[in-house]
Amino acid sequence: MRKSGSHVADFAAFGLSPTWSRNIDVPSHDGEIHRWHVLDRPARKHGAPVVLCLHGNPTWSFVWSRLLQELSSDFRVIAPDLLSMGFSDRVSTRVYSDRVGDVADLLQALGVDLPVWIVAQDWGGAIAMGFAVQHPNRVAGMVLSNTGIAVPDGRRAPWLIRAAAATGINALVTRYTSLFMRGTPLLPGKGLTKEQKKALILPYRSSSARKGVSDFVADVPLTNKHSSAADIADVAAKLGSLTCPVRLLWGVRDPVFNDDFAHDLMRRFNNVALHCIKDAGHLAILESSIAPLVETAIREIESAPEYVPVKESEIAPETLWSQIDTWESASDIAICDAANKKSVTRPEFAERVATFAEGLHVHGARRGDRVAVLIPPSIDLIAVVYACWRIGAVAVIADRGLGLRQLGKAVRSARVQHVIGSRRAIYAARVLRWAPTALMINLSGSVTAHQVRCVGQVGAPEPEADDPAAVLFTSGATGPAKGVCYTHRQLYAQRDALQRTYNISTTDRLVAAFAPFALYGPALGIATGLADMDVTSPSTLTARALDDACGLVGATMVFASPAALSNVVRTATAPLPHLANVRLMMSAGAPVPVKTLEEIAILCPGAQIHTPYGMTEILPVTDVCLNELTKIGFGRGVCVGHPVVGCQVVIAGTDNNDSKTLAPVGVTGEVLVSSPWMSSGYDSLWHTQYLARPTMCVDGTTQIWHRTGDVGHYDIDGNLWIEGRVVHLIHTDTGTVTPVPLEIAVEALPAVLRAAAVGVGAHGTQQVVIVVETANHSDGPADAELTASVRAAVSPQAVAAVWLSKKLPVDIRHNSKIDRTAVGVYMSEILAGAKR
């Protein structure tokens, strides 16, 4: 049956070039000739790679409009309307095997001989998988979004599909009314524009036009007796034989094909990786710009090397828990929790770790299983993490400071099999559905019933060095919180790097005013103290609380964030005898003002004051002490010292996003690092990881590096200086400006507590705006005197405006990093005339 009516005039209004639209008569495997409507966007060059886009139900080729508009013209893009869909012929009912055969018919009619990249969504994904199984030599790779080939184990088919396919309902909601059509764009996600919604229903304005929609729903095999069930099951069983690269782009808010389906496909393919689009839903391909991800998959992924850990030695390292059972003195404190006024001796801590390990194992936690550890910073938190490591489970740790919503997103994205925590935490996780299919384990319940005296007696086998060990979430201070994956070997190497850098021996004792750092204590074989403070707000640490914590364990080492140390200095009014015994004070997480370090040195007269530089993805990277900073003096940015032993640090060019051209001494560029303790990458963020992990040859060695996102330079003495973040560079008409040097200059003014330098305006013509926080806690334009002082401090750099802020926004984890992005958005609105 031929479609009547012209639709070409509508295409331009919907962002589609009418020149892409064509109709083609295709001889079919069923003996008929069917007319297909195809959006065929040509490439700049003949013989270019072909991208074949297969839509699902109830959409049509318009669903690929953003990809057609945004994908490089180096590629030809073919987006057909499947038969009985869009503006293609309405034909008799097509079942799954017919749809797979239709793809082969179309490619032959179009004369496409080279292997194609298939980009597909929903039912289009299942058809693409069927075609790839039948014609593996004709598929160069696949990019699949929100689709599936089988119902994942342990769950039923999506209820929306079951409801639409129910007898007596199917025809009503899919054909005789437009409910199914109009409901699809409303599936949770970022949402579509009115124009996009109007375009999606354009071909389906009559019941006869919607027959194909109804047929598609009817072809869902909800039982094994369905006519298409055997064909789809056969394809599902053969996906493991495919060798082509497969990249999954997933809108995680999809109530139909949620991430259960993504991880089901992850288990079925060989060369596969997943990238979750956190705010997108079922139509992520239209809600989001997927062109960069598709282009990366096509251009790079086949030649990109897999991550290979940088190994210091092939000799198997000690385990993370090896020190726990070998601590010599039974009476010595292992962990002391000042906040809860509790402590455990070394044998007691070993027993607690072993008991938790055996309890987790008895509850079903196995090697490779992910365990969300929802326990406040405490003795039990440290013990449970080590228990997970002992049985080979992966500890998933997210900062409580992220807040309830972001904490839930982190746990949900990690897809944990087990959740362990207090009764309150378990209740929250269950009610808020952070891990709806996970086994909930009450920390104070039966997990402690399986008492074991030492870790060595645990019945579970020990993990291998390259097994996954942890997923640690970033703070979200410089972008959305991301899960960072570590293996046991990488954590061993990190422990050894810390021990080597700071000459840590078994006679040392650590006080950690930053909870994650407390996890290093048992691995290093040293006693650890937790200070009495609000862990979600490091700036609440007082001098008395820190001194008391040091006294409880006889601390020789302290680690605290810059904001914590600043408050220690502010509250230091009484004698602090225990801080006088500290030999090493460390602070990291954000730049630490030299003035703060000097004031801490007065409180800790016997201590070396160090500021290691690093990040969740790799720590430590560099280190510098106060004495060195005093000798170095002021420079362009914040000096973070020399790379630690075993870590390589280079400066890459920032022009044209070129991360593979090294910058000479004194020239600003992006900081790239590599070491044996560099993490494996990001969890379920394939594209983010790919962009952050370039492969470069330096000094004759090709290896994978981590793009830190920081910009800086080396000075002539080999010191690394940090000048800001790549995303915070200010692009003025006279050149690129880094924010940190401007902020340091302004913060030297007596009236200024903190400052943020941001760019306002279009890229390339931005104006520099300085926002300052003063003791007056004012909000509004700075007065003429302060404005003149600020401009003089940063001269010759021109400053468009100086603004006062009652309190500059800072990161959650350390309370130190200024959120320049938020400040920039705010100032753009203010200078555009918005009300304060």
Side-chain angles (χ1 to χ4, degrees):
M1 183 180 96
R2 297 283 187 254
K3 269 229 31 104
S4 61
S6 173
H7 51 265
V8 174
D10 297 304
F11 281 12
F14 297 135
L16 298 172
S17 172
T19 62
W20 299 341
S21 177
R22 60 183 294 199
N23 293 305
I24 179 172
D25 291 328
V26 177
S28 173
H29 62 278
D30 63 13
E32 301 290 333
I33 295 179
H34 302 303
R35 175 161 292 181
W36 288 65
H37 173 251
V38 178
L39 295 177
D40 190 351
R41 196 203 71 176
R44 287 187 296 183
K45 297 180 181 179
H46 179 72
V50 175
V51 178
L52 176 66
C53 300
L54 301 178
H55 68 81
N57 188 38
T59 57
W60 58 291
S61 55
F62 169 79
V63 81
W64 304 109
S65 58
R66 291 192 64 171
L67 186 62
L68 282 157
Q69 294 162 358
E70 298 171 2
L71 191 65
S72 168
S73 57
D74 289 344
F75 307 106
R76 179 184 178 186
V77 183
I78 301 172
D81 293 347
L82 300 177
L83 290 177
S84 294
M85 304 292 287
F87 295 103
S88 289
D89 269 358
R90 282 0 185 205
V91 299
S92 57
T93 300
R94 311 298 278 179
V95 296
Y96 177 72
S97 58
D98 288 325
R99 296 285 185 190
V100 173
D102 289 341
V103 175
D105 298 338
L106 177 64
L107 289 177
Q108 183 174 351
L110 290 171
V112 177
D113 299 322
L114 296 174
V116 299
W117 270 86
I118 303 181
V119 184
Q121 185 259 356
D122 191 78
W123 257 109
I127 296 168
M129 288 181 256
F131 180 79
V133 164
Q134 288 190 11
H135 308 279
N137 295 330
R138 302 192 66 183
V139 178
M142 291 189 288
V143 178
L144 306 177
S145 178
N146 296 80
T147 184
I149 195 63
V151 177
D153 292 338
R155 61 159 294 169
R156 301 176 67 188
W159 71 269
L160 286 173
I161 293 179
R162 286 187 279 113
T167 303
I169 296 180
N170 179 9
L172 176 64
V173 300
T174 62
R175 184 173 182 182
Y176 296 117
T177 69
S178 60
L179 287 175
F180 194 68
M181 282 298 316
R182 296 183 183 277
T184 298
L186 300 179
L187 295 178
K190 295 178 181 178
L192 303 180
T193 66
K194 290 182 179 180
E195 291 73 19
Q196 288 172 329
K197 293 176 183 177
K198 183 178 179 181
L200 283 174
I201 66 173
L202 180 65
Y204 303 113
R205 290 179 288 191
S206 67
S207 60
S208 60
R210 293 191 289 265
K211 180 181 182 300
V213 174
S214 180
D215 289 346
F216 250 129
V217 172
D219 200 34
V220 176
L222 297 177
T223 70
N224 292 333
K225 296 180 181 180
H226 191 282
S227 58
S228 292
D231 291 327
I232 292 178
D234 182 62
V235 170
K238 293 178 179 177
L239 292 179
S241 66
L242 296 177
T243 59
C244 66
V246 178
R247 298 297 174 257
L248 307 177
L249 311 182
W250 225 264
V252 297
R253 296 180 63 187
D254 184 358
V256 180
F257 290 105
N258 65 7
D259 54 2
D260 288 343
F261 287 86
H263 287 271
D264 177 72
L265 293 178
M266 288 285 288
R267 292 188 288 269
R268 295 181 183 276
F269 290 109
N270 292 308
N271 183 358
V272 62
L274 169 66
H275 185 89
C276 289
I277 306 174
K278 298 187 182 301
D279 295 325
H282 185 64
L283 295 178
I285 57 173
L286 188 55
E287 294 177 317
S288 308
S289 177
I290 67 167
L293 290 80
V294 173
E295 187 168 338
T296 297
I298 299 171
R299 290 188 186 279
E300 307 288 350
I301 206 62
E302 290 181 277
S303 60
E306 293 295 320
Y307 175 78
V308 178
V310 182
K311 300 179 182 179
E312 292 180 307
S313 171
E314 292 300 328
I315 300 174
E318 291 183 330
T319 63
L320 292 166
W321 58 89
S322 59
Q323 299 278 356
I324 293 175
D325 278 338
T326 57
W327 277 335
E328 294 179 3
S329 176
S331 61
D332 283 354
I333 294 293
I335 311 287
C336 181
D337 181 356
N340 294 307
K341 298 179 174 56
K342 294 181 179 179
S343 63
V344 291
T345 65
R346 293 177 171 184
E348 289 170 342
F349 181 70
E351 184 175 313
R352 190 171 298 202
V353 171
T355 297
F356 286 151
E358 190 67 15
L360 286 168
H361 184 65
V362 169
H363 276 76
R366 294 294 181 265
R367 177 177 169 181
D369 283 1
R370 293 186 171 191
V371 180
V373 183
L374 301 184
I375 304 171
S378 60
I379 297 168
D380 282 342
L381 168 65
I382 300 171
V384 166
V385 171
Y386 277 84
C388 289
W389 288 340
R390 169 57 185 83
I391 66 174
V394 181
V396 176
I397 304 172
D399 202 315
R400 287 177 61 202
L402 288 173
L404 195 65
R405 182 180 179 187
Q406 294 303 320
L407 178 62
K409 283 187 174 182
V411 173
R412 195 176 294 116
S413 71
R415 291 186 56 83
V416 299
Q417 285 84 29
H418 309 270
V419 175
I420 183 169
S422 65
R423 183 175 285 105
R424 181 179 178 184
I426 295 298
Y427 178 78
R430 182 177 285 121
V431 171
L432 299 175
R433 296 186 63 78
W434 290 352
T437 62
L439 175 65
M440 303 290 176
I441 303 174
N442 189 339
L443 180 66
S444 59
S446 58
V447 73
T448 60
H450 308 278
Q451 191 164 8
V452 183
R453 296 199 56 169
C454 68
V455 178
Q457 295 176 349
V458 175
E462 294 187 3
E464 299 294 330
D466 293 316
D467 283 350
V471 178
L472 310 176
F473 278 84
T474 61
S475 67
T478 55
K482 300 179 286 292
V484 179
C485 302
Y486 275 93
T487 66
H488 285 266
R489 187 186 299 277
Q490 290 155 357
L491 292 178
Y492 306 153
Q494 187 178 58
R495 172 199 61 193
D496 294 345
L498 290 168
Q499 193 164 33
R500 181 172 57 239
T501 302
Y502 299 107
N503 299 313
I504 299 172
S505 70
T506 55
T507 61
D508 278 310
R509 293 172 175 82
L510 167 70
V511 164
F514 176 53
F517 212 84
L519 293 172
Y520 295 114
L524 291 164
I526 61 177
T528 304
L530 301 174
D532 185 3
M533 59 184 294
D534 180 358
V535 295
T536 66
S537 180
S539 59
T540 60
L541 178 67
T542 65
R544 174 55 60 195
L546 181 59
D547 190 67
D548 288 346
C550 290
L552 290 172
V553 295
T556 62
M557 303 163 49
V558 173
F559 183 93
S561 73
L565 291 187
S566 293
N567 200 53
V568 167
V569 169
R570 282 194 296 269
T571 56
T573 56
L576 303 169
H578 303 298
L579 282 177
N581 298 322
V582 172
R583 74 165 184 87
L584 176 66
M585 174 70 72
M586 295 175 286
S587 186
V592 191
V594 172
K595 182 181 178 182
T596 299
L597 297 178
E598 291 171 340
E599 291 170 328
I600 285 293
I602 296 173
L603 301 179
C604 308
Q608 286 190 329
I609 315 297
H610 281 254
T611 61
Y613 163 68
M615 53 224 62
T616 307
E617 295 86 345
I618 176 170
L619 176 76
V621 172
T622 67
D623 181 75
V624 67
C625 70
L626 175 59
N627 291 340
E628 293 169 336
L629 288 174
T630 302
K631 293 177 183 178
I632 294 168
F634 292 101
R636 198 171 76 243
V638 174
C639 181
V640 294
H642 286 75
V644 301
V645 174
C647 187
Q648 295 174 275
V649 182
V650 298
I651 306 297
T654 57
D655 291 341
N656 299 319
N657 202 31
D658 182 2
S659 64
K660 298 189 178 184
T661 301
L662 299 188
V665 171
V667 175
T668 300
E670 184 173 7
V671 180
L672 271 64
V673 300
S674 184
S675 78
W677 53 93
M678 182 170 72
S679 60
S680 301
Y682 297 116
D683 186 41
S684 298
L685 291 170
W686 152 73
H687 191 247
T688 301
Q689 177 175 322
Y690 182 82
L691 296 178
R693 294 290 167 92
T695 303
M696 292 197 311
C697 181
V698 176
D699 296 331
T701 302
T702 299
Q703 61 195 62
I704 295 178
W705 296 74
H706 175 68
R707 297 179 61 175
T708 66
D710 289 334
V711 291
H713 68 278
Y714 272 122
D715 65 20
I716 196 168
D717 296 317
N719 294 300
L720 179 65
W721 295 76
I722 301 300
E723 302 177 54
R725 299 282 296 169
V726 171
V727 295
H728 298 149
L729 293 176
I730 304 170
H731 303 279
T732 71
D733 54 4
T734 58
T736 300
V737 177
T738 54
V740 170
L742 303 184
E743 293 165 355
I744 291 175
V746 174
E747 287 171 352
L749 298 173
V752 176
L753 299 178
R754 278 190 293 200
V758 296
V760 174
H763 185 88
T765 57
Q766 290 181 308
Q767 303 295 314
V768 176
V769 174
I770 306 292
V771 182
V772 298
E773 182 181 323
T774 67
N776 295 328
H777 301 293
S778 300
D779 188 6
D783 60 35
E785 182 179 356
L786 180 57
T787 298
S789 297
V790 168
R791 286 178 168 152
V794 300
S795 178
Q797 177 59 55
V799 174
V802 179
W803 193 267
L804 297 177
S805 172
K806 290 181 180 179
K807 190 173 182 59
L808 286 167
V810 294
D811 69 296
I812 296 171
R813 177 168 290 174
H814 299 289
N815 297 167
S816 300
K817 296 178 184 175
I818 295 173
D819 188 345
R820 297 190 192 95
T821 301
V823 174
V825 170
Y826 175 74
M827 289 309 303
S828 296
E829 294 173 349
I830 290 295
L831 297 179
K835 292 183 179 180
R836 280 184 277 160

